[in-house]
Coordinates of all heavy atoms in Angstrom, one line a residue:
M1 N 174.3 81.4 24.8 CA 173.3 81.0 23.9 C 172.8 79.6 24.3 O 171.6 79.2 24.2 CB 173.8 80.9 22.5 CG 172.9 80.7 21.4 SD 171.8 82.1 21.4 CE 170.7 81.6 20.0
N2 N 173.7 78.8 24.8 CA 173.4 77.4 25.3 C 172.4 77.5 26.5 O 171.5 76.7 26.5 CB 174.6 76.7 25.6 CG 174.4 75.1 25.8 OD1 173.4 74.7 25.2 ND2 175.2 74.5 26.5
K3 N 172.6 78.5 27.4 CA 171.7 78.6 28.5 C 170.3 78.9 28.1 O 169.3 78.4 28.6 CB 172.2 79.7 29.5 CG 173.4 79.2 30.3 CD 173.8 80.3 31.2 CE 175.0 79.9 32.0 NZ 175.3 80.9 33.0
I4 N 170.1 79.8 27.1 CA 168.8 80.2 26.6 C 168.1 79.0 26.0 O 166.9 78.7 26.2 CB 168.9 81.3 25.6 CG1 169.5 82.5 26.3 CG2 167.6 81.6 25.0 CD1 169.8 83.7 25.4
K5 N 168.9 78.2 25.2 CA 168.3 77.0 24.5 C 167.8 76.0 25.6 O 166.8 75.5 25.5 CB 169.3 76.4 23.6 CG 168.8 75.2 22.9 CD 169.9 74.7 21.9 CE 169.4 73.5 21.2 NZ 170.5 72.9 20.4
K6 N 168.7 75.8 26.6 CA 168.3 74.9 27.7 C 167.1 75.3 28.4 O 166.3 74.5 28.8 CB 169.6 74.8 28.6 CG 169.5 73.6 29.5 CD 170.8 73.4 30.3 CE 170.8 72.2 31.1 NZ 172.1 72.0 31.8
Y7 N 167.0 76.6 28.7 CA 165.9 77.2 29.4 C 164.6 76.9 28.6 O 163.6 76.4 29.2 CB 166.0 78.7 29.5 CG 164.8 79.4 30.1 CD1 164.5 79.3 31.4 CD2 164.0 80.1 29.2 CE1 163.3 79.9 31.9 CE2 162.8 80.7 29.7 CZ 162.5 80.6 31.0 OH 161.3 81.2 31.5
F8 N 164.6 77.2 27.3 CA 163.4 76.9 26.6 C 163.0 75.5 26.3 O 161.9 75.1 26.3 CB 163.4 77.6 25.2 CG 163.1 79.1 25.3 CD1 164.2 80.1 25.2 CD2 161.9 79.6 25.6 CE1 163.9 81.5 25.3 CE2 161.6 80.9 25.8 CZ 162.6 81.9 25.6
Q9 N 164.0 74.6 26.3 CA 163.8 73.2 26.4 C 163.1 72.8 27.7 O 162.2 71.9 27.6 CB 165.1 72.4 26.2 CG 165.7 72.5 24.8 CD 167.0 71.8 24.7 OE1 167.7 71.6 25.7 NE2 167.4 71.5 23.5
G10 N 163.5 73.4 28.8 CA 162.8 73.1 30.1 C 161.4 73.6 30.1 O 160.5 72.9 30.6
V11 N 161.2 74.8 29.5 CA 159.8 75.3 29.4 C 159.0 74.4 28.6 O 157.8 74.1 29.0 CB 159.9 76.7 28.8 CG1 158.5 77.2 28.5 CG2 160.6 77.7 29.7
W12 N 159.5 73.9 27.5 CA 158.7 73.0 26.6 C 158.4 71.7 27.3 O 157.3 71.2 27.3 CB 159.5 72.8 25.3 CG 158.7 71.9 24.3 CD1 158.9 70.6 24.0 CD2 157.5 72.3 23.6 NE1 158.0 70.2 23.1 CE2 157.2 71.2 22.8 CE3 156.8 73.4 23.5 CZ2 156.0 71.3 22.0 CZ3 155.7 73.5 22.7 CH2 155.3 72.4 21.9
K13 N 159.4 71.2 28.1 CA 159.2 70.0 28.8 C 158.1 70.1 29.9 O 157.3 69.2 30.1 CB 160.6 69.6 29.5 CG 160.7 68.2 30.0 CD 162.1 68.0 30.5 CE 162.4 66.6 30.6 NZ 163.7 66.3 31.2
Q14 N 158.1 71.3 30.6 CA 157.1 71.5 31.6 C 155.7 71.7 30.9 O 154.7 71.2 31.5 CB 157.4 72.8 32.4 CG 158.6 72.6 33.4 CD 158.3 71.6 34.5 OE1 157.2 71.6 35.0 NE2 159.2 70.8 34.8
A15 N 155.6 72.4 29.8 CA 154.4 72.6 29.1 C 153.8 71.2 28.7 O 152.5 71.1 28.7 CB 154.6 73.4 27.9
K16 N 154.6 70.2 28.4 CA 154.0 68.9 28.0 C 153.4 68.2 29.2 O 152.6 67.4 29.1 CB 155.2 68.1 27.5 CG 155.6 68.4 26.0 CD 156.6 67.5 25.5 CE 157.0 67.7 24.1 NZ 158.1 66.8 23.7
M17 N 153.9 68.6 30.4 CA 153.4 67.9 31.7 C 152.1 68.5 32.1 O 151.4 68.0 33.0 CB 154.4 68.0 32.8 CG 155.6 67.1 32.6 SD 156.6 67.1 34.0 CE 158.1 67.9 33.5
V18 N 151.7 69.7 31.6 CA 150.5 70.3 32.1 C 149.3 69.5 31.6 O 149.2 69.0 30.6 CB 150.4 71.7 31.4 CG1 149.0 72.4 31.7 CG2 151.5 72.6 31.9
R19 N 148.3 69.3 32.6 CA 147.1 68.7 32.3 C 146.1 69.8 31.8 O 145.6 70.5 32.5 CB 146.5 68.1 33.6 CG 145.2 67.3 33.3 CD 144.4 67.0 34.5 NE 143.0 66.6 34.3 CZ 142.1 67.5 34.1 NH1 142.3 68.8 34.2 NH2 140.8 67.1 33.9
W20 N 145.9 69.8 30.4 CA 145.1 70.8 29.8 C 143.6 70.4 30.0 O 143.3 69.2 30.0 CB 145.4 71.0 28.4 CG 146.8 71.5 28.2 CD1 147.9 70.7 27.8 CD2 147.2 72.8 28.4 NE1 149.0 71.5 27.7 CE2 148.6 72.8 28.1 CE3 146.7 73.9 28.7 CZ2 149.4 73.9 28.2 CZ3 147.4 75.1 28.8 CH2 148.8 75.1 28.5
P21 N 142.7 71.3 30.3 CA 141.3 70.9 30.4 C 140.6 70.4 29.2 O 141.0 70.8 28.1 CB 140.6 72.3 30.9 CG 141.5 73.3 30.3 CD 142.9 72.8 30.3
T22 N 139.7 69.5 29.4 CA 138.9 68.9 28.3 C 138.0 70.0 27.8 O 137.7 71.0 28.4 CB 138.2 67.7 28.7 OG1 137.2 68.0 29.7 CG2 139.1 66.6 29.2
R23 N 137.3 69.7 26.7 CA 136.4 70.7 26.1 C 135.2 70.9 27.1 O 134.7 72.0 27.3 CB 135.9 70.2 24.7 CG 135.0 71.1 24.1 CD 134.6 70.6 22.7 NE 133.8 71.5 22.0 CZ 134.2 72.5 21.2 NH1 135.5 72.7 21.0 NH2 133.4 73.3 20.6
K24 N 134.7 69.8 27.6 CA 133.6 69.8 28.6 C 134.0 70.6 29.8 O 133.2 71.5 30.3 CB 133.3 68.4 29.0 CG 132.1 68.3 29.9 CD 131.8 66.9 30.3 CE 130.6 66.8 31.2 NZ 130.4 65.4 31.6
D25 N 135.2 70.4 30.4 CA 135.6 71.2 31.6 C 135.7 72.7 31.2 O 135.3 73.6 32.0 CB 137.0 70.7 32.0 CG 137.0 69.4 32.7 OD1 135.9 68.9 33.0 OD2 138.1 68.7 32.7
L26 N 136.3 73.0 30.1 CA 136.4 74.4 29.6 C 135.0 75.1 29.5 O 134.9 76.2 29.9 CB 137.2 74.4 28.3 CG 137.6 75.8 27.8 CD1 138.5 76.5 28.7 CD2 138.3 75.7 26.5
L27 N 134.1 74.4 28.8 CA 132.8 75.0 28.6 C 132.1 75.2 29.9 O 131.4 76.2 30.1 CB 131.9 74.1 27.7 CG 132.4 74.1 26.2 CD1 131.5 73.2 25.4 CD2 132.2 75.5 25.6
S28 N 132.2 74.3 30.8 CA 131.5 74.4 32.1 C 132.1 75.6 32.9 O 131.4 76.4 33.6 CB 131.6 73.1 32.9 OG 132.8 72.8 33.4
S29 N 133.4 75.8 32.9 CA 134.1 76.9 33.5 C 133.7 78.2 32.9 O 133.4 79.2 33.6 CB 135.6 76.8 33.4 OG 136.1 75.6 34.1
V30 N 133.6 78.3 31.6 CA 133.2 79.5 30.9 C 131.8 79.8 31.3 O 131.4 81.0 31.5 CB 133.3 79.3 29.3 CG1 132.6 80.4 28.6 CG2 134.8 79.3 29.0
C31 N 130.9 78.8 31.4 CA 129.5 79.1 31.8 C 129.4 79.6 33.2 O 128.6 80.5 33.4 CB 128.7 77.8 31.7 SG 128.3 77.2 30.0
V32 N 130.2 79.0 34.1 CA 130.2 79.6 35.4 C 130.7 81.0 35.5 O 130.0 81.9 36.1 CB 131.1 78.7 36.4 CG1 131.4 79.4 37.7 CG2 130.5 77.4 36.6
V33 N 131.7 81.3 34.7 CA 132.2 82.7 34.7 C 131.2 83.7 34.1 O 130.9 84.8 34.6 CB 133.5 82.8 33.8 CG1 133.9 84.2 33.6 CG2 134.6 82.1 34.6
L34 N 130.5 83.2 33.0 CA 129.5 84.1 32.4 C 128.3 84.4 33.3 O 127.7 85.4 33.5 CB 129.0 83.5 31.1 CG 130.0 83.6 29.9 CD1 129.4 82.8 28.7 CD2 130.4 85.0 29.6
I35 N 127.9 83.3 34.0 CA 126.8 83.5 35.0 C 127.1 84.4 36.2 O 126.4 85.2 36.5 CB 126.3 82.1 35.6 CG1 125.6 81.3 34.4 CG2 125.4 82.2 36.8 CD1 125.4 79.8 34.7
V36 N 128.3 84.2 36.7 CA 128.8 85.1 37.8 C 128.9 86.6 37.3 O 128.5 87.5 38.0 CB 130.1 84.6 38.3 CG1 130.8 85.7 39.2 CG2 130.0 83.3 39.1
M37 N 129.4 86.8 36.0 CA 129.4 88.1 35.5 C 128.0 88.7 35.3 O 127.9 89.9 35.7 CB 130.1 88.1 34.1 CG 131.6 87.9 34.2 SD 132.4 87.8 32.5 CE 131.6 89.0 31.6
V38 N 127.1 88.0 34.9 CA 125.7 88.5 34.7 C 125.1 88.8 36.0 O 124.5 89.9 36.2 CB 124.8 87.5 33.8 CG1 123.4 87.9 33.9 CG2 125.3 87.4 32.5
V39 N 125.2 87.9 37.0 CA 124.7 88.2 38.3 C 125.3 89.4 39.0 O 124.7 90.2 39.5 CB 124.8 86.9 39.2 CG1 124.5 87.3 40.7 CG2 123.9 85.9 38.7
S40 N 126.6 89.5 38.8 CA 127.4 90.7 39.3 C 126.9 92.0 38.7 O 126.7 93.0 39.4 CB 128.8 90.5 39.2 OG 129.3 89.4 39.9
A41 N 126.8 91.9 37.4 CA 126.3 93.1 36.6 C 124.9 93.5 37.1 O 124.6 94.7 37.3 CB 126.3 92.9 35.1
I42 N 124.0 92.6 37.3 CA 122.7 92.9 37.7 C 122.7 93.5 39.2 O 122.1 94.5 39.4 CB 121.8 91.7 37.7 CG1 121.5 91.3 36.2 CG2 120.4 91.9 38.4 CD1 120.8 90.0 36.0
A43 N 123.5 92.9 40.0 CA 123.6 93.4 41.4 C 124.2 94.8 41.4 O 123.7 95.6 42.2 CB 124.4 92.4 42.3
L44 N 125.3 95.0 40.7 CA 125.8 96.3 40.7 C 124.9 97.4 40.1 O 124.8 98.5 40.6 CB 127.2 96.3 39.9 CG 128.3 95.7 40.6 CD1 129.5 95.6 39.7 CD2 128.7 96.6 41.8
S45 N 124.1 97.0 39.0 CA 123.2 98.0 38.4 C 122.1 98.3 39.4 O 121.7 99.5 39.5 CB 122.6 97.3 37.2 OG 123.6 97.1 36.2
L46 N 121.6 97.3 40.1 CA 120.5 97.6 41.1 C 121.0 98.5 42.2 O 120.3 99.4 42.6 CB 119.9 96.3 41.6 CG 119.1 95.5 40.6 CD1 118.6 94.1 41.3 CD2 117.9 96.3 40.2
S47 N 122.2 98.2 42.7 CA 122.7 99.0 43.8 C 123.0 100.4 43.3 O 122.8 101.4 44.1 CB 124.0 98.4 44.4 OG 125.0 98.4 43.5
D48 N 123.5 100.6 42.1 CA 123.7 101.9 41.5 C 122.3 102.6 41.4 O 122.3 103.9 41.7 CB 124.3 101.8 40.1 CG 124.6 103.1 39.5 OD1 125.2 104.0 40.2 OD2 124.2 103.3 38.3
L49 N 121.4 102.0 40.9 CA 120.0 102.6 40.8 C 119.5 103.0 42.1 O 119.0 104.1 42.4 CB 119.1 101.6 40.1 CG 117.6 102.1 39.9 CD1 117.6 103.2 38.8 CD2 116.8 100.9 39.5
L50 N 119.7 102.1 43.2 CA 119.2 102.4 44.5 C 119.8 103.7 45.1 O 119.3 104.6 45.6 CB 119.5 101.2 45.4 CG 118.3 100.5 45.9 CD1 118.6 99.2 46.5 CD2 117.5 101.3 47.0
V51 N 121.2 103.7 45.0 CA 122.0 104.8 45.5 C 121.6 106.1 44.7 O 121.5 107.2 45.3 CB 123.5 104.6 45.5 CG1 124.3 105.8 45.8 CG2 123.9 103.4 46.5
G52 N 121.5 106.0 43.5 CA 121.0 107.2 42.7 C 119.7 107.7 43.1 O 119.5 109.0 43.3
Q53 N 118.8 106.8 43.3 CA 117.4 107.2 43.8 C 117.5 107.9 45.2 O 116.8 108.8 45.5 CB 116.4 106.1 43.8 CG 116.1 105.6 42.4 CD 115.4 106.6 41.5 OE1 114.6 107.4 42.0 NE2 115.8 106.7 40.3
L54 N 118.3 107.3 46.1 CA 118.5 107.9 47.4 C 119.1 109.2 47.4 O 118.6 110.1 48.1 CB 119.3 106.9 48.2 CG 119.7 107.4 49.6 CD1 118.4 107.3 50.5 CD2 120.8 106.5 50.2
L55 N 120.0 109.4 46.5 CA 120.7 110.7 46.4 C 119.8 111.7 45.8 O 119.7 112.9 46.2 CB 122.0 110.6 45.5 CG 123.1 109.9 46.2 CD1 124.3 109.9 45.2 CD2 123.6 110.7 47.5
K56 N 118.9 111.3 44.8 CA 117.9 112.2 44.2 C 116.9 112.7 45.3 O 116.6 113.8 45.4 CB 117.2 111.6 43.1 CG 117.9 111.7 41.8 CD 117.0 111.1 40.7 CE 117.7 111.0 39.4 NZ 117.0 110.3 38.3
M57 N 116.5 111.7 46.1 CA 115.6 112.0 47.2 C 116.1 113.0 48.2 O 115.5 113.9 48.6 CB 115.1 110.7 47.9 CG 114.1 110.8 48.9 SD 113.6 109.3 49.7 CE 115.1 109.0 50.7
L58 N 117.4 112.7 48.6 CA 118.0 113.6 49.6 C 118.3 115.0 49.0 O 118.1 116.0 49.7 CB 119.4 113.0 50.0 CG 119.2 111.8 51.0 CD1 120.6 111.2 51.3 CD2 118.5 112.2 52.3
D59 N 118.6 115.0 47.7 CA 118.9 116.3 47.1 C 117.6 117.1 47.0 O 117.6 118.3 47.2 CB 119.4 116.1 45.6 CG 119.9 117.4 45.1 OD1 120.5 118.2 45.8 OD2 119.7 117.6 43.8
G60 N 116.4 116.5 46.7 CA 115.1 117.2 46.7 C 114.7 117.6 48.1 O 114.1 118.7 48.3
Q61 N 115.0 116.8 49.1 CA 114.7 117.1 50.5 C 115.5 118.2 51.1 O 114.9 119.1 51.8 CB 114.8 115.8 51.3 CG 114.2 115.9 52.7 CD 114.3 114.7 53.5 OE1 114.9 113.7 53.0 NE2 113.7 114.7 54.6
F62 N 116.7 118.3 50.7 CA 117.6 119.4 51.3 C 118.0 120.5 50.4 O 118.9 121.2 50.6 CB 118.8 118.7 51.8 CG 118.6 117.7 53.0 CD1 118.7 116.4 52.8 CD2 118.4 118.3 54.2 CE1 118.5 115.5 53.9 CE2 118.1 117.4 55.3 CZ 118.2 116.0 55.1
A63 N 117.2 120.6 49.3 CA 117.5 121.6 48.3 C 117.4 123.0 48.8 O 118.2 123.9 48.5 CB 116.6 121.5 47.1
G64 N 116.5 123.3 49.7 CA 116.3 124.7 50.2 C 117.2 125.0 51.4 O 117.4 126.2 51.8
S65 N 117.8 124.0 52.0 CA 118.6 124.2 53.2 C 120.0 124.7 52.8 O 120.5 124.7 51.7 CB 118.8 123.0 54.0 OG 119.9 122.3 53.8
S66 N 120.7 125.3 53.8 CA 122.0 125.9 53.5 C 123.1 124.8 53.3 O 124.1 125.1 52.8 CB 122.4 126.8 54.7 OG 122.5 126.1 55.9
E67 N 122.8 123.6 53.9 CA 123.8 122.5 53.8 C 123.4 121.6 52.6 O 122.3 121.2 52.4 CB 123.8 121.7 55.1 CG 124.9 120.7 55.1 CD 124.9 119.9 56.4 OE1 123.9 120.0 57.2 OE2 125.8 119.3 56.7
S68 N 124.4 121.5 51.7 CA 124.1 120.7 50.5 C 124.0 119.3 50.8 O 124.5 118.7 51.8 CB 125.1 120.9 49.4 OG 126.3 120.4 49.8
S69 N 123.3 118.5 50.0 CA 123.1 117.1 50.2 C 124.5 116.3 50.0 O 124.7 115.3 50.7 CB 122.1 116.5 49.2 OG 122.5 116.7 47.9
V70 N 125.4 116.9 49.2 CA 126.7 116.2 49.1 C 127.4 116.3 50.4 O 128.1 115.3 50.8 CB 127.4 116.9 47.9 CG1 128.9 116.4 47.9 CG2 126.8 116.7 46.6
R71 N 127.4 117.4 51.1 CA 128.1 117.6 52.3 C 127.4 116.6 53.4 O 128.1 116.0 54.2 CB 128.0 119.0 52.8 CG 128.8 119.2 54.0 CD 128.8 120.7 54.5 NE 129.4 121.5 53.4 CZ 129.3 122.8 53.3 NH1 128.4 123.4 54.0 NH2 129.9 123.5 52.3
L72 N 126.1 116.5 53.3 CA 125.4 115.6 54.2 C 125.8 114.2 54.0 O 126.1 113.5 55.0 CB 123.9 115.8 54.1 CG 123.0 114.9 55.0 CD1 123.2 115.3 56.4 CD2 121.6 115.0 54.6
I73 N 125.8 113.8 52.8 CA 126.2 112.3 52.4 C 127.7 112.1 52.9 O 128.0 111.1 53.5 CB 126.1 112.1 50.9 CG1 124.5 112.1 50.6 CG2 126.6 110.7 50.6 CD1 123.7 111.1 51.2
S74 N 128.5 113.1 52.6 CA 129.9 112.8 53.0 C 130.1 112.8 54.5 O 130.9 112.0 55.0 CB 130.8 113.9 52.4 OG 130.5 115.2 53.0
M75 N 129.2 113.5 55.3 CA 129.3 113.5 56.7 C 128.8 112.1 57.2 O 129.3 111.6 58.2 CB 128.5 114.6 57.3 CG 129.1 115.9 57.3 SD 128.1 117.4 57.8 CE 127.1 116.6 59.0
L76 N 127.8 111.6 56.5 CA 127.2 110.3 57.0 C 128.2 109.1 56.7 O 128.3 108.2 57.6 CB 125.9 110.0 56.3 CG 124.8 110.9 56.7 CD1 123.6 110.7 55.8 CD2 124.4 110.6 58.1
F77 N 128.8 109.1 55.5 CA 129.5 107.9 55.1 C 131.1 108.1 55.4 O 131.8 107.1 55.5 CB 129.3 107.6 53.7 CG 127.9 107.1 53.4 CD1 127.0 107.9 52.8 CD2 127.5 105.9 53.9 CE1 125.7 107.5 52.6 CE2 126.2 105.4 53.7 CZ 125.3 106.2 53.0
W78 N 131.7 109.2 55.3 CA 133.1 109.4 55.4 C 133.5 110.2 56.6 O 133.9 111.4 56.5 CB 133.6 110.0 54.1 CG 133.4 109.2 53.0 CD1 134.1 108.0 52.7 CD2 132.5 109.3 51.9 NE1 133.7 107.5 51.5 CE2 132.6 108.3 51.0 CE3 131.5 110.3 51.7 CZ2 131.8 108.1 49.9 CZ3 130.7 110.1 50.5 CH2 130.8 109.0 49.7
R79 N 133.3 109.7 57.7 CA 133.7 110.4 59.0 C 135.1 110.4 59.2 O 135.9 109.7 58.9 CB 133.0 109.8 60.2 CG 131.5 110.0 60.1 CD 130.9 109.7 61.4 NE 129.6 110.2 61.4 CZ 128.8 110.1 62.4 NH1 129.1 109.5 63.5 NH2 127.6 110.7 62.4

């Protein structure tokens, strides 16, 4: 029991030594994270839209052929 108490006293001592961010630092970090998230979401959405349109185009182009567009795409990208 004494070891556990000593351990948590050490944890508390270390927690007091931590330099916690100021409100200004915290808000600026949150803003950076939110901006990166929005930019990433836009980039991923655009790339998803582009790939979807490409696959629709290929599907329409190869619809009558014996080889499906899925097989064609897999041959192109996953050799």
Side-chain angles (χ1 to χ4, degrees):
M1 190 67 179
N2 193 24
K3 287 184 180 183
I4 295 172
K5 183 179 176 183
K6 194 171 186 177
Y7 171 77
F8 282 108
Q9 285 175 343
V11 169
W12 184 250
K13 197 176 196 180
Q14 288 294 320
K16 285 182 179 179
M17 287 191 248
V18 172
R19 183 197 162 273
W20 298 102
T22 63
R23 184 177 183 90
K24 183 180 176 183
D25 291 339
L26 186 64
L27 286 176
S28 70
S29 296
V30 167
C31 286
V32 168
V33 168
L34 290 176
I35 289 169
V36 168
M37 282 176 44
V38 168
V39 169
S40 298
I42 291 170
L44 283 172
S45 297
L46 288 175
S47 66
D48 180 50
L49 182 68
L50 246 165
V51 170
Q53 292 298 319
L54 177 67
L55 288 175
K56 277 185 188 177
M57 183 181 70
L58 287 174
D59 192 37
Q61 188 175 8
F62 294 105
S65 96
S66 61
E67 186 175 16
S68 72
S69 60
V70 174
R71 187 177 296 157
L72 178 66
I73 295 295
S74 66
M75 285 174 28
L76 288 173
F77 291 109
W78 296 286
R79 288 191 167 183

